[in-house]
Each structure stands twice: as C-alpha cells, then as structure tokens.
Amino acid sequence: SGTKNGMFGRTGDMNTTSKKVINTITQEIFGSVAEAERKNGIKKGILIAKLNGRATNNTSFKYFQDVYS
C-alpha cells in the first residue's frame, strides 16, 4: 500500500497511461487531461468526456496523438 505501490506518486505525465493533450490554438501541450483541466479552469472529468466523444467537444483541446499521428 502507499509508498510500496509502483505507481505511487506518478501523476500527470509521470503516469505511463496518461495521454498528452494539445490546445490546437496555442499549441500548448499538457502531459495529461488532468493537467489541462487544472491549468485551464475546467471542472474535473469534463474535458475527458469531450475528448472521448461522450460530450460535444466545443474546446480547442484534442489528444496529441489524434493531431500528430
């Protein structure tokens, strides 16, 4: 538990399952959806719903891999 867990403390882009997000207007790249939400004042979970197609994406954010693949 806790510090013995191999993923302990690996948040944002340090987490191997995080996906990078890009703001297509400013070209700013974020290491994770949570980081993009935090830095842009978006409520937790809203951006991921938009990026995954569960809600209409009326933002300039996209998964980095979708833009540059």
Side-chain angles (χ1 to χ4, degrees):
S1 70
T3 57
K4 292 181 181 180
N5 184 323
M7 289 300 292
F8 181 79
R10 293 187 183 188
T11 59
D13 60 351
M14 291 176 60
N15 185 325
T16 56
T17 63
S18 289
K19 292 182 178 180
K20 290 183 181 182
V21 175
I22 185 168
N23 181 326
T24 57
I25 295 174
T26 65
Q27 298 300 306
E28 185 175 3
I29 299 171
F30 302 93
S32 68
V33 175
E35 180 185 348
E37 287 174 328
R38 226 179 5 264
K39 289 187 176 179
N40 290 281
I42 301 170
K43 288 185 179 182
K44 185 177 182 178
I46 299 296
L47 185 56
I48 199 162
K50 293 180 180 212
L51 293 174
N52 289 337
R54 290 192 304 272
T56 302
N57 190 353
N58 56 354
T59 70
S60 58
F61 295 98
K62 296 192 181 294
Y63 281 123
F64 184 83
Q65 66 190 28
D66 292 346
V67 176
Y68 296 103
S69 59

